[in-house]
Amino acid sequence: MNVLDLARWQFALTGSLHFLFVLLTLGLAPLLAIMNTRYVLGRKPVLERMTRFWGQVYVINYALGVFTGLVMEFQFGLSWSGLSHYAGDVFGAPLAIETLGSFFLESTFLGLWIFGWNRLPRKLHLACIWLVTLTAYASAFWIMAANSFLQHPAGVVERGGRLALDDFGALLSNPTFVMALPHVFSAALWAGGSVLIGASAYHLFKKTPDKEFFTRSLRLGVVTAFIGSLLGVGFGYAQMGLVNEVQPDKWSGSALAGAGLGLMILIGHVLQLLTMFVLLPLLIGDALARWRFMHPLLMALAPLPFAAAICGWLAREEGRQPWLIYGRLRVADALTPGLSGAEIAWSFAGFVGVLGALAVIDYVLIARTVRRGPDQIALGAPDLAPELEPVGSL
Amino acid sequence: MDTLWYVIFALLFAGYFALEGFTIGVGILLRLRPHAARDLQVAAIAPFVLAGEVWLVALAGLLFGVFPLLEGDLLSGMYPLVVALLLAWILRDAALWFRRRGDGPRWRPAWDVVLSAASLALAIVWGMVLVAIMRGFPGGFDPLGVAAGVGVALAYAFHGWTFATWRLAGHPAVDGASRRGRAVWLSALVAAAPALLTLAVVTPSLLDHMAPSATLNVIGFMVLPLTPVMIGAQVWVWRTFSRGPLPSFF
């Protein structure tokens, strides 16, 4: 493999890892906000336990989203400096807005939510998880806006060999953005619902004592997966016409893009039919929670929305090749000039090795949290109260 | 407008060193502390980590949006250093997130080794990065960079110890020592000094490489209205977690 191949593989692997984790972050955040709201309004202990249990799954998953995201943010400048040279005046804007206006707030409010469990008034604590949800979706909005600019560079003019921002509105009404954004949001909800379904099925199958807890979680998971599948498939087809207008040979030009698209559609349809015509009706009388023979199947299906999402990304990004910015800048021309084989080989080994290992550990820790159930949750546990001298304020 | 973006950039840069300096410093010193003291030390910094490291994420985003021509040259010009910085940062964070999530007598001590080693590596690489920036990233091994790295590690460790003795005042975890809030401001200044020095050197280059006003206006239009919320959230973190019992998730 040459330098270009390695740089592409490094970006593809770290990007795919990032997407696996942020997908669940986006899917679980609104569900946590709903559970937390119902707890604050009704004070039912089971709803507090649900918020803490699923919250810990969310928080462990969040860590890897951050680690992989850091590598993504810096990788543009590391191995693709041709991108910022040619289009930084345009592409940099949504990324800067994302980090300052969204992620900065998301991270700060999440810290308040994680550590403020016993410190903040209940309603302010609740406000934090809603703000985390809002800013997480705002983050996805700006990242998708940036990605859509690569698919179809709308709203720009070329001046002196560089792209300049001409029409910000066109950047945000980009035909490869407007339908893809709700498509991704729906896929995330689908994945979040699917994790609730799979983990609840595990506990119901094992007949652990928390029957009400996991029956409720299963119900929320199925309804969420149903909404996600309905909107996800709908917005998926809705973007086809728009994509064909601006990238006519997207699916036919690349075997990998075509295969990714086909597999995603297959998984999507099978799961959607199953969710709509089997899982959703079986919520009546909580039949799904009682029918143990169904539970192994529900566990086995849980990873499928993640597989479909990765296939979807493969299709979207492979279908843009050989362009980094469609019709404007080739991937090969965006590679950092003078990047050496040794540099990219070491960074590839470091990023893929470290992030890959941490991703495996993270999934093991999520599985462990799920297996041990709601009684051994550290999130929201009582604070440590050592004897301290009264300290002066700052 | 140019001056405003420069001031925000400088604030994020120096602020990152002051706010992450003490969490990294506590990490560096952690292995030197007895086992019994470690959980309390980590609990003291834990609520500030998420709100502090995000200053560097924002700084990098701002670099891309406001100084796009500099971003590619800067990061790719110091390729091995930036990769090392990211890996050390990620491993430090992973140790914090994971150290209390597993079982077994060796799980937490093993992650505490990672936490200390990665924190030290992060501080040393920062020193090397700052020297490389000031010298226009010549590449190759630079002994001055390593010396600066040791200096940054010492400054962070000093800031970390000062913070811990203020937050855990009088507790055996900090050998019963206690510091006043004023001492934390002073140690924050010490931790931020390397960043301020670097800023002084690179200011002309920063002002030379601003994005065109159309780009700056768009970023400003979307971000500036949010600054009161950003500042408010940071102040809220400090008001909530700088006294009282210690939340214990990390």
Side-chain angles (χ1 to χ4, degrees), chain B residues 180-199:
Chain B
R180 307 272 289 279
R182 222 176 305 148
V184 181
W185 282 103
L186 190 71
S187 66
L189 197 63
V190 171
L196 292 169
L197 185 68
T198 310
L199 272 170

Side-chain angles (χ1 to χ4, degrees), chain B residues 49-85:
Chain B
V49 172
L50 282 171
E53 68 181 10
V54 79
W55 287 54
L56 180 56
V57 179
L59 185 80
L62 201 65
L63 189 66
F64 208 157
V66 178
F67 309 97
L69 282 177
L70 217 52
E71 192 253 9
D73 292 349
L74 194 76
L75 297 183
S76 63
M78 305 183 290
Y79 195 97
L81 286 179
V82 176
V83 173
L85 186 87

Side-chain angles (χ1 to χ4, degrees), chain A residues 10 56 59-60 62-64 66-68 70-71 73-79 81 83-105 107-112 114-116 119-121 124-125 127-128 131 142 162 164-165 168 336-337 339 343-344 346-348 350-351 354-355 358 361-362 365 368-369 372 378-394, chain B residues 5 8 12 39-40 43 46-48 50-51 53-62 64-66 68-69 71-73 75-76 78-80 82-83 85-87 89-91 93-95 97-98 100-103 107 111 165-172 176-182 184-185 210-212 214-215 218-219 221-223 226 229-231 233-234 236-250:
Chain A
Q10 179 177 295
Q56 181 153 326
V59 162
I60 296 176
Y62 185 88
L64 253 286
V66 175
F67 307 161
T68 49
L70 298 177
V71 174
E73 187 188 13
F74 284 80
Q75 211 172 173
F76 291 116
L78 282 172
S79 22
S81 67
L83 175 63
S84 58
H85 266 270
Y86 178 64
D89 292 345
V90 186
F91 187 71
L95 291 192
I97 297 170
E98 190 270 340
T99 54
L100 282 157
S102 306
F103 185 69
F104 190 94
L105 292 169
S107 192
T108 311
F109 286 123
L110 182 62
L112 280 157
I114 293 175
F115 296 100
R119 306 298 295 277
L120 298 174
L124 284 179
H125 186 248
C128 288
L131 287 164
W142 293 111
R162 302 189 67 220
L165 185 61
F168 187 55
T336 295
L339 183 63
E343 281 174 333
I344 189 72
W346 278 108
S347 69
F348 181 91
F351 287 146
V354 168
L355 292 178
L358 292 177
I361 295 170
D362 201 70
L365 292 175
R368 178 178 171 278
T369 301
R372 290 171 39 141
L379 185 69
D383 293 354
L384 308 171
E387 294 271 328
L388 300 175
E389 286 175 10
V391 298
S393 58
L394 278 176
Chain B
W5 286 115
I8 294 175
L12 285 171
D39 278 358
L40 276 186
F48 303 100
L50 282 171
E53 68 181 10
V54 79
W55 287 54
L56 180 56
V57 179
L59 185 80
L62 201 65
F64 208 157
V66 178
L69 282 177
E71 192 253 9
D73 292 349
L75 297 183
S76 63
M78 305 183 290
Y79 195 97
V82 176
V83 173
L85 186 87
L86 285 169
L87 289 175
W89 184 7
I90 289 167
L91 285 169
D93 275 16
W97 284 97
F98 293 163
R100 300 208 314 140
R101 297 285 81 78
D103 292 317
W107 177 268
W111 281 110
T165 47
W166 167 72
R167 183 66 181 87
L168 301 172
H171 194 272
S178 82
R179 296 274 192 291
R180 307 272 289 279
R182 222 176 305 148
V184 181
W185 282 103
M210 291 254 177
T215 307
V218 160
I219 301 174
F221 180 71
M222 299 307 304
V223 169
L226 291 171
V229 189
M230 295 162 74
I231 295 167
Q234 292 275 322
W236 193 14
V237 167
W238 279 86
R239 288 185 60 100
T240 307
F241 299 116
S242 58
R243 61 176 65 85
L246 301 160
S248 59
F249 189 74
F250 278 172

Side-chain angles (χ1 to χ4, degrees), chain B residues 137-211:
Chain B
F137 20 99
F141 179 75
D142 186 353
L144 185 66
V146 180
V150 173
V152 170
L154 287 171
Y156 281 179
F158 168 66
H159 189 25
W161 182 250
T162 310
F163 174 85
T165 47
W166 167 72
R167 183 66 181 87
L168 301 172
H171 194 272
V174 287
D175 306 334
S178 82
R179 296 274 192 291
R180 307 272 289 279
R182 222 176 305 148
V184 181
W185 282 103
L186 190 71
S187 66
L189 197 63
V190 171
L196 292 169
L197 185 68
T198 310
L199 272 170
V201 175
V202 299
T203 296
S205 173
L206 283 172
L207 292 174
D208 257 7
H209 286 88
M210 291 254 177

